[in-house]
Coordinates of all heavy atoms in Angstrom, one line a residue:
M204 N 0.9 -1.2 0.0 CA 0.0 0.0 0.0 C 0.9 1.2 0.0 O 1.8 1.4 0.8 CB -0.9 0.0 1.2 CG -1.8 1.1 1.3 SD -3.0 0.8 2.6 CE -4.0 2.2 2.7
A205 N 0.6 2.2 -1.0 CA 1.4 3.4 -1.1 C 0.9 4.4 0.0 O -0.3 4.4 0.4 CB 1.2 4.0 -2.4
R206 N 1.8 5.1 0.5 CA 1.5 6.1 1.5 C 1.3 7.4 0.8 O 2.0 7.7 -0.1 CB 2.7 6.3 2.6 CG 2.3 7.1 3.7 CD 3.5 7.1 4.7 NE 4.3 8.2 4.2 CZ 5.7 8.1 4.1 NH1 6.4 7.1 4.4 NH2 6.3 9.2 3.6
A207 N 0.3 8.2 1.3 CA 0.1 9.5 0.7 C 0.1 10.6 1.7 O -0.4 10.4 2.8 CB -1.3 9.4 0.0
L208 N 0.7 11.6 1.3 CA 0.6 12.8 2.2 C -0.2 13.9 1.5 O 0.0 14.2 0.3 CB 2.0 13.4 2.4 CG 3.1 12.5 3.0 CD1 4.4 13.1 2.9 CD2 2.6 12.2 4.5
V209 N -1.3 14.3 2.1 CA -2.2 15.2 1.5 C -2.3 16.6 2.3 O -2.2 16.5 3.5 CB -3.6 14.7 1.3 CG1 -3.6 13.5 0.3 CG2 -4.3 14.3 2.7
N210 N -2.4 17.6 1.6 CA -2.3 19.0 2.3 C -3.5 19.8 1.8 O -3.5 20.1 0.6 CB -1.0 19.7 2.1 CG -0.9 20.9 2.8 OD1 -1.8 21.5 3.3 ND2 0.3 21.4 3.0
V211 N -4.5 19.9 2.6 CA -5.7 20.8 2.3 C -5.9 21.7 3.5 O -5.8 21.3 4.6 CB -6.9 19.8 2.2 CG1 -8.2 20.6 2.0 CG2 -6.7 18.8 1.1
P212 N -6.3 23.0 3.2 CA -6.4 23.9 4.3 C -7.6 23.4 5.2 O -8.6 22.9 4.7 CB -6.9 25.2 3.7 CG -6.4 25.1 2.3 CD -6.3 23.6 1.9
K213 N -7.4 23.5 6.5 CA -8.5 23.0 7.5 C -9.7 23.9 7.4 O -10.8 23.4 7.5 CB -7.9 22.9 8.9 CG -6.9 21.8 9.0 CD -6.6 21.6 10.5 CE -5.5 20.5 10.7 NZ -5.7 19.2 10.0
V214 N -9.5 25.3 7.2 CA -10.5 26.2 7.2 C -10.3 27.1 6.0 O -9.1 27.5 5.7 CB -10.6 27.1 8.5 CG1 -11.6 28.1 8.4 CG2 -10.7 26.2 9.7
A215 N -11.4 27.5 5.3 CA -11.3 28.5 4.2 C -12.6 29.3 4.2 O -13.7 28.8 4.7 CB -11.2 27.7 2.9
R216 N -12.6 30.4 3.6 CA -13.7 31.3 3.4 C -14.5 30.8 2.2 O -13.9 30.3 1.3 CB -13.3 32.7 3.2 CG -12.8 33.5 4.4 CD -12.5 34.8 4.1 NE -11.7 34.7 2.8 CZ -11.2 35.7 2.2 NH1 -11.2 36.9 2.6 NH2 -10.6 35.5 1.0
Q217 N -15.8 30.9 2.2 CA -16.6 30.5 1.1 C -16.2 31.3 -0.1 O -16.1 32.5 -0.1 CB -18.1 30.7 1.4 CG -18.9 30.1 0.3 CD -20.4 30.0 0.7 OE1 -20.8 30.8 1.6 NE2 -21.2 29.3 0.0
G218 N -15.9 30.6 -1.2 CA -15.6 31.2 -2.5 C -14.1 31.5 -2.7 O -13.6 31.9 -3.8
A219 N -13.4 31.1 -1.6 CA -11.9 31.3 -1.7 C -11.3 30.2 -2.6 O -11.7 29.1 -2.6 CB -11.2 31.2 -0.3
V220 N -10.2 30.5 -3.3 CA -9.4 29.5 -4.1 C -8.4 29.0 -3.2 O -7.6 29.7 -2.5 CB -8.8 30.2 -5.3 CG1 -7.9 29.2 -6.0 CG2 -9.9 30.8 -6.2
V221 N -8.4 27.7 -2.9 CA -7.5 27.0 -2.0 C -6.6 26.1 -2.9 O -7.0 25.5 -3.9 CB -8.2 26.2 -0.9 CG1 -9.0 27.2 -0.1 CG2 -9.1 25.2 -1.5
E222 N -5.4 25.9 -2.4 CA -4.4 24.9 -3.0 C -4.5 23.6 -2.3 O -4.4 23.6 -1.1 CB -3.0 25.5 -3.0 CG -2.0 24.6 -3.7 CD -0.6 25.3 -3.8 OE1 -0.2 25.9 -2.9 OE2 0.0 25.1 -4.9
V223 N -4.5 22.6 -3.1 CA -4.6 21.2 -2.7 C -3.3 20.6 -3.2 O -3.0 20.7 -4.3 CB -5.8 20.5 -3.2 CG1 -5.8 19.1 -2.8 CG2 -7.1 21.2 -2.7
K224 N -2.7 19.8 -2.2 CA -1.4 19.1 -2.6 C -1.5 17.7 -2.1 O -2.0 17.3 -1.1 CB -0.2 19.7 -2.0 CG 0.0 21.2 -2.3 CD 1.1 21.8 -1.5 CE 1.2 23.3 -1.7 NZ 2.2 23.8 -0.8
A225 N -0.9 16.8 -3.0 CA -0.9 15.4 -2.7 C 0.5 14.8 -3.2 O 0.9 15.1 -4.3 CB -2.0 14.6 -3.3
M226 N 1.2 14.0 -2.3 CA 2.3 13.3 -2.6 C 2.1 11.9 -2.4 O 1.8 11.5 -1.2 CB 3.6 13.8 -1.9 CG 4.9 13.3 -2.7 SD 6.2 12.9 -1.7 CE 5.7 12.0 -0.3
I227 N 2.3 11.0 -3.3 CA 2.1 9.6 -3.1 C 3.5 8.8 -3.1 O 4.2 8.9 -4.1 CB 1.2 9.0 -4.2 CG1 -0.1 9.8 -4.3 CG2 0.9 7.6 -4.0 CD1 -0.9 9.6 -5.5
A228 N 3.7 8.1 -2.1 CA 5.0 7.3 -2.1 C 4.8 6.1 -2.9 O 4.1 5.2 -2.6 CB 5.3 6.9 -0.6
H229 N 5.5 6.1 -4.2 CA 5.3 5.0 -5.1 C 6.6 5.0 -6.0 O 7.0 6.0 -6.3 CB 4.0 5.2 -5.9 CG 3.5 4.1 -6.7 ND1 4.2 3.7 -7.9 CD2 2.7 3.1 -6.5 CE1 3.6 2.6 -8.3 NE2 2.7 2.3 -7.5
P230 N 7.0 3.8 -6.3 CA 8.3 3.7 -7.0 C 8.1 4.3 -8.5 O 9.2 4.6 -9.1 CB 8.7 2.3 -7.0 CG 7.4 1.5 -6.8 CD 6.6 2.6 -5.9
M231 N 7.0 4.1 -9.1 CA 6.7 4.5 -10.5 C 7.8 3.9 -11.4 O 8.5 4.5 -12.2 CB 6.8 6.1 -10.7 CG 5.6 6.7 -9.8 SD 4.0 6.3 -10.4 CE 3.9 7.4 -11.8
E232 N 7.9 2.6 -11.4 CA 8.8 1.8 -12.2 C 8.4 1.8 -13.7 O 7.3 1.4 -13.9 CB 9.1 0.4 -11.7 CG 10.1 -0.4 -12.3 CD 11.5 0.3 -12.3 OE1 12.0 0.5 -11.2 OE2 12.0 0.5 -13.4
T233 N 9.2 2.2 -14.6 CA 8.9 2.4 -16.0 C 8.7 1.1 -16.7 O 8.1 1.0 -17.8 CB 9.9 3.2 -16.7 OG1 11.1 2.5 -16.7 CG2 10.1 4.6 -16.1
G234 N 9.4 0.0 -16.3 CA 9.5 -1.2 -17.0 C 10.6 -1.3 -18.0 O 10.7 -2.3 -18.7
Y235 N 11.3 -0.2 -18.2 CA 12.5 -0.2 -19.1 C 13.9 -0.5 -18.5 O 14.8 -0.8 -19.2 CB 12.5 1.1 -19.8 CG 11.3 1.5 -20.6 CD1 10.6 2.6 -20.4 CD2 10.9 0.6 -21.6 CE1 9.5 3.0 -21.0 CE2 9.6 1.0 -22.3 CZ 9.0 2.1 -22.0 OH 8.0 2.5 -22.6
R236 N 13.9 -0.4 -17.2 CA 15.2 -0.7 -16.5 C 15.5 -2.2 -16.4 O 14.6 -3.0 -16.3 CB 15.2 0.0 -15.1 CG 15.2 1.5 -15.1 CD 15.4 2.1 -13.8 NE 14.8 1.5 -12.7 CZ 15.3 1.2 -11.5 NH1 16.7 1.5 -11.3 NH2 14.7 0.5 -10.6
I237 N 16.8 -2.5 -16.4 CA 17.3 -3.9 -16.3 C 17.6 -4.1 -14.8 O 18.3 -3.3 -14.3 CB 18.5 -4.1 -17.2 CG1 18.2 -3.7 -18.7 CG2 19.0 -5.6 -17.0 CD1 17.2 -4.6 -19.4
G238 N 17.1 -5.2 -14.3 CA 17.4 -5.6 -12.9 C 18.7 -6.3 -12.8 O 19.3 -6.6 -13.7
P239 N 19.0 -6.7 -11.6 CA 20.3 -7.3 -11.3 C 20.5 -8.7 -12.0 O 21.5 -9.2 -12.3 CB 20.4 -7.4 -9.8 CG 19.1 -7.1 -9.3 CD 18.3 -6.4 -10.4
N240 N 19.3 -9.3 -12.3 CA 19.3 -10.7 -12.9 C 19.3 -10.6 -14.4 O 19.3 -11.6 -15.1 CB 18.1 -11.4 -12.5 CG 16.8 -10.9 -12.8 OD1 16.8 -9.7 -13.4 ND2 15.7 -11.5 -12.5
G241 N 19.4 -9.4 -15.1 CA 19.5 -9.2 -16.5 C 18.1 -9.1 -17.2 O 18.2 -8.7 -18.3
S242 N 17.0 -9.2 -16.5 CA 15.7 -9.0 -17.2 C 15.1 -7.6 -16.7 O 15.5 -7.0 -15.7 CB 14.8 -10.1 -16.8 OG 14.5 -10.1 -15.4
N243 N 14.1 -7.2 -17.5 CA 13.5 -5.9 -17.2 C 12.7 -6.0 -15.8 O 12.1 -7.0 -15.6 CB 12.5 -5.6 -18.3 CG 13.1 -5.1 -19.5 OD1 14.3 -5.2 -19.6 ND2 12.3 -4.6 -20.5
I244 N 12.8 -4.9 -15.2 CA 12.0 -4.8 -13.9 C 10.6 -4.5 -14.3 O 10.4 -3.6 -15.2 CB 12.6 -3.6 -13.0 CG1 14.0 -4.0 -12.6 CG2 11.6 -3.4 -11.8 CD1 14.7 -2.7 -12.0
P245 N 9.6 -5.2 -13.8 CA 8.2 -5.0 -14.3 C 7.7 -3.6 -14.1 O 8.1 -2.9 -13.1 CB 7.4 -6.0 -13.5 CG 8.4 -7.0 -12.9 CD 9.7 -6.3 -12.8
R246 N 7.0 -3.1 -15.1 CA 6.4 -1.8 -14.9 C 5.4 -1.7 -13.8 O 4.6 -2.6 -13.6 CB 5.7 -1.5 -16.3 CG 5.0 -0.1 -16.2 CD 4.3 0.1 -17.5 NE 3.0 0.7 -17.3 CZ 2.4 1.6 -18.2 NH1 3.0 1.9 -19.3 NH2 1.3 2.1 -17.8
D247 N 5.5 -0.6 -13.0 CA 4.6 -0.4 -11.8 C 4.4 1.0 -11.6 O 5.2 1.6 -11.0 CB 5.2 -1.1 -10.6 CG 4.3 -1.0 -9.4 OD1 3.1 -0.7 -9.6 OD2 4.7 -1.1 -8.2
I248 N 3.4 1.6 -12.3 CA 3.1 3.0 -12.2 C 1.7 3.3 -11.8 O 0.8 2.5 -11.8 CB 3.4 3.8 -13.6 CG1 2.3 3.4 -14.6 CG2 4.9 3.6 -14.0 CD1 2.3 4.3 -15.8
I249 N 1.5 4.5 -11.1 CA 0.2 4.9 -10.9 C -0.4 5.4 -12.2 O 0.2 6.2 -12.9 CB 0.1 6.1 -9.9 CG1 0.6 5.6 -8.5 CG2 -1.3 6.7 -9.8 CD1 0.8 6.7 -7.5
R250 N -1.5 4.8 -12.7 CA -2.1 5.1 -14.0 C -3.1 6.3 -13.9 O -3.2 7.0 -14.9 CB -2.7 3.9 -14.5 CG -1.7 2.8 -14.7 CD -2.3 1.6 -15.2 NE -2.7 1.8 -16.7 CZ -3.4 0.9 -17.3 NH1 -3.9 -0.1 -16.7 NH2 -3.7 1.1 -18.6
R251 N -3.9 6.3 -12.8 CA -4.9 7.4 -12.7 C -5.0 7.9 -11.4 O -4.9 7.2 -10.3 CB -6.2 6.6 -13.2 CG -7.4 7.6 -13.0 CD -7.7 8.1 -14.4 NE -9.0 8.8 -14.4 CZ -9.1 9.9 -15.1 NH1 -8.2 10.5 -15.8 NH2 -10.3 10.6 -15.1
F252 N -5.1 9.3 -11.3 CA -5.3 10.0 -10.0 C -6.6 10.8 -10.2 O -6.8 11.5 -11.2 CB -4.1 10.9 -9.7 CG -4.3 11.7 -8.5 CD1 -3.9 11.2 -7.3 CD2 -4.7 13.0 -8.6 CE1 -4.0 12.0 -6.2 CE2 -4.9 13.9 -7.6 CZ -4.5 13.3 -6.2
T253 N -7.4 10.8 -9.2 CA -8.6 11.6 -9.2 C -8.9 12.2 -7.9 O -8.5 11.6 -6.8 CB -9.9 10.8 -9.6 OG1 -10.2 9.8 -8.6 CG2 -9.9 10.3 -11.0
C254 N -9.5 13.4 -7.8 CA -9.9 14.0 -6.5 C -11.3 14.4 -6.6 O -11.7 15.0 -7.6 CB -9.0 15.2 -6.3 SG -9.3 16.2 -4.9
T255 N -12.1 14.1 -5.6 CA -13.5 14.6 -5.5 C -13.6 15.5 -4.3 O -13.0 15.3 -3.3 CB -14.5 13.4 -5.5 OG1 -14.2 12.6 -4.3 CG2 -14.3 12.5 -6.8
Y256 N -14.6 16.4 -4.4 CA -14.9 17.4 -3.3 C -16.4 17.1 -3.1 O -17.3 17.4 -3.9 CB -14.7 18.7 -3.8 CG -14.8 19.9 -2.8 CD1 -15.0 19.7 -1.5 CD2 -15.0 21.2 -3.3 CE1 -15.2 20.7 -0.6 CE2 -15.3 22.3 -2.5 CZ -15.4 22.0 -1.1 OH -15.6 23.1 -0.3
N257 N -16.7 16.5 -1.9 CA -18.1 16.2 -1.6 C -18.7 15.3 -2.7 O -19.9 15.5 -3.1 CB -19.0 17.4 -1.3 CG -18.6 18.1 0.0 OD1 -18.1 17.4 0.9 ND2 -18.8 19.4 0.1
G258 N -18.0 14.4 -3.2 CA -18.5 13.4 -4.2 C -18.4 13.9 -5.6 O -18.6 13.1 -6.6
E259 N -18.1 15.1 -5.9 CA -18.0 15.7 -7.3 C -16.5 15.8 -7.7 O -15.7 16.3 -7.0 CB -18.6 17.0 -7.4 CG -18.6 17.7 -8.7 CD -19.3 19.0 -8.8 OE1 -20.1 19.3 -7.8 OE2 -18.9 19.7 -9.7
E260 N -16.2 15.2 -8.8 CA -14.8 15.1 -9.4 C -14.4 16.6 -9.7 O -15.1 17.3 -10.4 CB -14.7 14.3 -10.5 CG -13.3 14.2 -11.0 CD -13.1 13.2 -12.1 OE1 -13.4 11.9 -11.9 OE2 -12.7 13.6 -13.3
V261 N -13.2 17.1 -9.1 CA -12.7 18.4 -9.3 C -11.4 18.4 -10.0 O -10.9 19.4 -10.5 CB -12.6 19.2 -8.0 CG1 -14.1 19.5 -7.4 CG2 -11.8 18.4 -6.9
F262 N -10.7 17.2 -10.0 CA -9.4 17.1 -10.7 C -9.2 15.6 -11.0 O -9.5 14.8 -10.2 CB -8.3 17.6 -9.7 CG -6.9 17.5 -10.3 CD1 -6.5 18.5 -11.1 CD2 -6.1 16.4 -10.1 CE1 -5.2 18.4 -11.8 CE2 -4.9 16.3 -10.7 CZ -4.4 17.4 -11.5
S263 N -8.6 15.4 -12.2 CA -8.2 14.0 -12.5 C -6.9 14.2 -13.4 O -6.7 15.2 -14.1 CB -9.2 13.2 -13.2 OG -9.6 13.7 -14.4
A264 N -6.1 13.1 -13.4 CA -4.9 13.0 -14.2 C -4.6 11.6 -14.6 O -4.7 10.7 -13.7 CB -3.7 13.7 -13.4
D265 N -4.1 11.4 -15.8 CA -3.6 10.1 -16.2 C -2.2 10.3 -16.2 O -1.6 11.2 -16.7 CB -4.1 9.8 -17.7 CG -5.6 9.5 -17.8 OD1 -6.1 8.8 -16.8 OD2 -6.2 10.0 -18.7
L266 N -1.4 9.4 -15.5 CA 0.0 9.4 -15.3 C 0.6 8.4 -16.3 O 0.1 7.3 -16.6 CB 0.3 9.1 -13.9 CG -0.3 10.1 -12.9 CD1 0.1 9.8 -11.5 CD2 0.0 11.5 -13.2
F267 N 1.9 8.7 -16.7 CA 2.6 7.8 -17.6 C 4.0 7.5 -17.1 O 4.4 8.1 -16.0 CB 2.7 8.6 -19.0 CG 1.3 8.8 -19.6 CD1 0.7 9.9 -19.4 CD2 0.7 7.8 -20.4 CE1 -0.6 10.1 -19.9 CE2 -0.5 8.0 -20.9 CZ -1.2 9.1 -20.7
P268 N 4.8 6.6 -17.7 CA 6.1 6.2 -17.2 C 7.0 7.3 -17.0 O 7.9 7.2 -16.2 CB 6.6 5.2 -18.2 CG 5.4 4.6 -18.8 CD 4.4 5.7 -18.7
A269 N 7.0 8.5 -17.6 CA 7.8 9.6 -17.5 C 7.7 10.3 -16.2 O 8.5 11.1 -15.9 CB 7.6 10.5 -18.7
V270 N 6.7 10.1 -15.4 CA 6.4 10.7 -14.1 C 7.3 10.1 -13.1 O 7.6 8.9 -13.1 CB 5.0 10.5 -13.7 CG1 4.8 11.0 -12.2 CG2 4.1 11.2 -14.7
S271 N 8.1 11.0 -12.3 CA 9.1 10.5 -11.4 C 8.4 9.7 -10.2 O 7.2 9.7 -10.1 CB 9.8 11.7 -10.8 OG 9.0 12.4 -10.0
A272 N 9.3 9.0 -9.5 CA 8.9 8.3 -8.3 C 8.3 9.3 -7.3 O 8.6 10.4 -7.3 CB 10.0 7.5 -7.7
N273 N 7.3 8.8 -6.5 CA 6.7 9.6 -5.4 C 6.1 10.9 -6.1 O 6.5 12.0 -5.7 CB 7.7 10.0 -4.4 CG 8.4 8.8 -3.8 OD1 7.7 7.7 -3.6 ND2 9.7 8.9 -3.5
P274 N 5.2 10.7 -7.0 CA 4.7 11.9 -7.7 C 4.0 12.9 -6.7 O 3.3 12.5 -5.8 CB 3.6 11.3 -8.7 CG 3.4 9.9 -8.2 CD 4.5 9.5 -7.4
F275 N 4.2 14.1 -7.1 CA 3.6 15.2 -6.3 C 2.6 16.0 -7.2 O 3.0 16.4 -8.3 CB 4.8 16.3 -5.8 CG 4.2 17.4 -5.2 CD1 3.8 17.4 -3.8 CD2 4.2 18.8 -5.8 CE1 3.4 18.6 -3.2 CE2 3.8 19.8 -5.3 CZ 3.3 19.7 -3.9
I276 N 1.4 16.1 -6.7 CA 0.4 16.8 -7.6 C -0.2 18.0 -6.8 O -0.5 17.8 -5.6 CB -0.7 15.8 -8.0 CG1 -0.1 14.6 -8.8 CG2 -1.8 16.4 -8.7 CD1 -1.0 13.4 -9.0
A277 N -0.3 19.1 -7.4 CA -0.9 20.3 -6.8 C -1.9 20.9 -7.7 O -1.6 21.1 -8.9 CB 0.2 21.3 -6.4
F278 N -2.9 21.4 -7.2 CA -4.0 22.1 -7.9 C -4.8 22.9 -7.1 O -4.7 22.9 -5.9 CB -4.9 21.0 -8.8 CG -5.5 20.1 -7.8 CD1 -6.8 20.3 -7.4 CD2 -4.9 18.9 -7.4 CE1 -7.5 19.4 -6.6 CE2 -5.5 18.0 -6.6 CZ -6.8 18.2 -6.1
T279 N -5.6 23.8 -7.7 CA -6.5 24.6 -6.9 C -8.0 24.3 -7.0 O -8.3 23.6 -8.1 CB -6.3 26.2 -7.2 OG1 -6.6 26.3 -8.6 CG2 -4.9 26.6 -6.8
L280 N -8.8 24.6 -6.1 CA -10.2 24.5 -6.2 C -10.9 25.6 -5.5 O -10.2 26.2 -4.7 CB -10.7 23.1 -5.8 CG -10.4 22.6 -4.3 CD1 -11.4 23.2 -3.3 CD2 -10.5 21.2 -4.3
V281 N -12.1 25.8 -5.7 CA -13.0 26.9 -5.0 C -13.6 26.2 -3.8 O -14.4 25.3 -4.0 CB -13.9 27.6 -6.0 CG1 -14.8 28.6 -5.2 CG2 -13.2 28.3 -7.1
A282 N -13.5 26.8 -2.6 CA -14.1 26.2 -1.4 C -15.6 26.8 -1.5 O -15.8 27.9 -1.4 CB -13.4 26.7 -0.2
T283 N -16.4 25.8 -1.6 CA -17.9 26.2 -1.6 C -18.7 25.8 -0.3 O -19.4 26.6 0.1 CB -18.5 25.5 -2.9 OG1 -18.4 24.1 -2.8 CG2 -18.0 26.1 -4.1
T284 N -18.5 24.6 0.1 CA -19.1 24.1 1.3 C -18.1 23.3 2.1 O -17.2 22.7 1.6 CB -20.4 23.3 1.0 OG1 -20.0 22.2 0.2 CG2 -21.4 24.1 0.2
S285 N -18.4 23.1 3.4 CA -17.6 22.2 4.2 C -17.8 20.8 3.8 O -18.9 20.4 3.3 CB -18.1 22.3 5.7 OG -17.8 23.7 6.2
G286 N -16.8 20.0 3.8 CA -16.9 18.6 3.4 C -15.6 17.9 3.4 O -14.6 18.3 3.9
T287 N -15.6 16.7 2.6 CA -14.6 15.9 2.4 C -13.9 16.0 1.0 O -14.6 16.1 0.0 CB -15.0 14.5 2.7 OG1 -15.6 14.4 3.9 CG2 -13.8 13.5 2.7
I288 N -12.7 16.0 1.0 CA -11.9 15.9 -0.2 C -11.2 14.5 -0.3 O -10.5 14.2 0.6 CB -10.9 17.0 -0.3 CG1 -11.6 18.4 -0.3 CG2 -10.1 17.0 -1.7 CD1 -10.7 19.7 -0.3
D289 N -11.6 13.7 -1.3 CA -11.2 12.4 -1.4 C -10.2 12.2 -2.6 O -10.4 12.7 -3.7 CB -12.3 11.4 -1.6 CG -13.2 11.3 -0.5 OD1 -12.7 11.1 0.7 OD2 -14.4 11.5 -0.6
F290 N -9.1 11.5 -2.4 CA -8.0 11.3 -3.4 C -8.1 9.9 -3.7 O -8.0 9.0 -2.7 CB -6.7 11.8 -2.8 CG -6.6 13.2 -2.3 CD1 -6.9 13.5 -1.0 CD2 -6.2 14.2 -3.2 CE1 -6.9 14.8 -0.6 CE2 -6.1 15.5 -2.7 CZ -6.5 15.8 -1.5
T291 N -8.0 9.5 -4.9 CA -8.0 8.0 -5.3 C -7.0 7.9 -6.4 O -6.9 8.7 -7.3 CB -9.4 7.7 -5.8 OG1 -10.4 8.0 -4.9 CG2 -9.5 6.2 -6.2
W292 N -6.2 6.8 -6.4 CA -5.3 6.5 -7.4 C -5.3 5.0 -7.7 O -5.4 4.2 -6.7 CB -3.9 7.0 -7.0 CG -3.3 6.5 -5.8 CD1 -2.4 5.5 -5.7 CD2 -3.5 7.1 -4.5 NE1 -2.1 5.3 -4.3 CE2 -2.7 6.2 -3.6 CE3 -4.3 8.1 -4.0 CZ2 -2.6 6.5 -2.2 CZ3 -4.2 8.3 -2.6 CH2 -3.5 7.5 -1.7
T293 N -5.0 4.7 -8.9 CA -5.0 3.3 -9.3 C -3.7 3.0 -10.0 O -3.2 3.7 -10.9 CB -6.2 3.0 -10.3 OG1 -7.4 3.4 -9.6 CG2 -6.3 1.6 -10.7
D294 N -3.1 1.9 -9.7 CA -1.8 1.5 -10.4 C -2.0 0.4 -11.4 O -3.1 0.0 -11.7 CB -0.8 1.1 -9.2 CG -1.1 -0.2 -8.5 OD1 -2.0 -0.9 -8.9 OD2 -0.5 -0.4 -7.5
D295 N -0.8 0.0 -11.9 CA -0.8 -1.0 -13.0 C -1.4 -2.3 -12.5 O -1.9 -3.1 -13.4 CB 0.6 -1.2 -13.6 CG 1.0 -0.2 -14.6 OD1 0.1 0.4 -15.2 OD2 2.2 0.0 -14.8
A296 N -1.3 -2.7 -11.3 CA -1.8 -3.9 -10.7 C -3.3 -3.9 -10.5 O -3.9 -4.9 -10.2 CB -1.0 -4.3 -9.5
G297 N -3.8 -2.7 -10.8 CA -5.3 -2.6 -10.6 C -5.8 -2.3 -9.2 O -6.9 -2.2 -8.9
K298 N -4.8 -2.0 -8.3 CA -5.0 -1.7 -6.9 C -5.5 -0.2 -6.8 O -4.8 0.7 -7.4 CB -3.8 -1.9 -6.0 CG -3.5 -3.2 -5.7 CD -2.5 -3.3 -4.5 CE -1.2 -4.0 -5.0 NZ -0.2 -3.9 -3.9
T299 N -6.5 0.1 -6.2 CA -7.0 1.4 -6.0 C -6.9 1.7 -4.5 O -7.3 0.9 -3.7 CB -8.5 1.5 -6.4 OG1 -8.6 1.2 -7.8 CG2 -9.0 2.9 -6.1
Q300 N -6.4 2.8 -4.2 CA -6.1 3.3 -2.8 C -6.7 4.7 -2.7 O -6.8 5.4 -3.7 CB -4.6 3.2 -2.5 CG -4.1 1.8 -2.6 CD -2.6 1.9 -2.3 OE1 -2.0 2.8 -1.7 NE2 -2.0 0.7 -2.5
T301 N -7.0 5.1 -1.5 CA -7.6 6.4 -1.3 C -7.0 7.1 -0.1 O -6.4 6.4 0.9 CB -9.1 6.3 -1.0 OG1 -9.3 5.4 0.2 CG2 -9.8 5.7 -2.3
A302 N -7.1 8.3 0.0 CA -6.8 9.2 1.1 C -7.9 10.2 1.2 O -8.4 10.6 0.1 CB -5.4 9.7 1.1
S303 N -8.1 10.9 2.3 CA -9.1 11.9 2.4 C -8.7 13.0 3.4 O -7.9 12.8 4.3 CB -10.4 11.4 2.7 OG -10.5 10.8 3.9
A304 N -9.3 14.2 3.2 CA -9.1 15.3 4.2 C -10.4 16.1 4.2 O -11.2 16.0 3.3 CB -7.9 16.3 3.6
T305 N -10.6 16.7 5.4 CA -11.8 17.5 5.5 C -11.4 19.0 5.5 O -10.4 19.4 5.9 CB -12.5 17.2 6.8 OG1 -11.7 17.4 7.9 CG2 -13.0 15.8 6.8
I306 N -12.4 19.7 4.9 CA -12.2 21.3 4.9 C -13.5 21.9 5.5 O -14.6 21.4 5.3 CB -12.0 21.7 3.5 CG1 -11.7 23.2 3.4 CG2 -13.1 21.4 2.6 CD1 -11.1 23.7 2.1
T307 N -13.4 22.9 6.3 CA -14.4 23.7 6.9 C -14.5 25.0 6.2 O -13.5 25.7 6.2 CB -14.3 23.8 8.5 OG1 -14.1 22.5 9.0 CG2 -15.4 24.5 9.1
V308 N -15.7 25.3 5.6 CA -15.9 26.6 4.9 C -16.8 27.4 5.7 O -17.9 27.0 6.1 CB -16.5 26.3 3.5 CG1 -16.7 27.6 2.8 CG2 -15.5 25.4 2.7
N309 N -16.4 28.7 6.0 CA -17.3 29.6 6.8 C -17.4 30.9 5.9 O -16.9 31.2 5.0 CB -16.7 29.9 8.2 CG -15.2 29.8 8.3 OD1 -14.5 29.2 7.5 ND2 -14.8 30.5 9.3

């Protein structure tokens, strides 16, 4: 299971633009490197990253082998209501993992 660090402001004013950051601890192996036994190291990358705010998708990205290990993703959104921001990512093995943070809007 990959570890994720997410950074979302705990409190924001309604209508404010807030920055959301996520870093996922993942090797992002391209599948092109040769291992110590002489064969290719199997590809293992995060293929899809999505973020929802109170159930509505606000950001998504398809990732490719050129993305470095431990990808860092930052974007902005408009704080409309208090709620949950959920982060979901899926890797080559088909494993889907999530992280979440809450934001209070006043």
Side-chain angles (χ1 to χ4, degrees):
M204 181 169 180
R206 190 181 84 228
L208 301 173
V209 295
N210 186 340
V211 175
K213 292 193 183 305
V214 179
R216 286 179 319 187
Q217 187 171 20
V220 175
V221 297
E222 186 173 32
V223 176
K224 300 175 188 175
M226 193 212 49
I227 304 163
H229 193 280
M231 298 294 281
E232 185 57 60
T233 65
Y235 300 124
R236 291 187 323 133
I237 305 294
N240 62 357
S242 63
N243 284 11
I244 298 170
R246 178 178 139 149
D247 183 18
I248 68 167
I249 295 171
R250 299 177 75 191
R251 180 89 172 143
F252 175 87
T253 59
C254 178
T255 60
Y256 180 21
N257 286 335
E259 181 179 338
E260 187 174 294
V261 292
F262 180 84
S263 67
D265 291 320
L266 304 179
F267 297 92
V270 174
S271 68
N273 306 322
F275 175 77
I276 299 169
F278 57 94
T279 59
L280 59 82
V281 176
T283 54
T284 60
S285 297
T287 303
I288 299 174
D289 295 308
F290 304 86
T291 305
W292 58 97
T293 304
D294 66 14
D295 275 339
K298 285 196 242 174
T299 299
Q300 298 178 15
T301 61
S303 62
T305 58
I306 187 169
T307 302
V308 176
N309 31 336

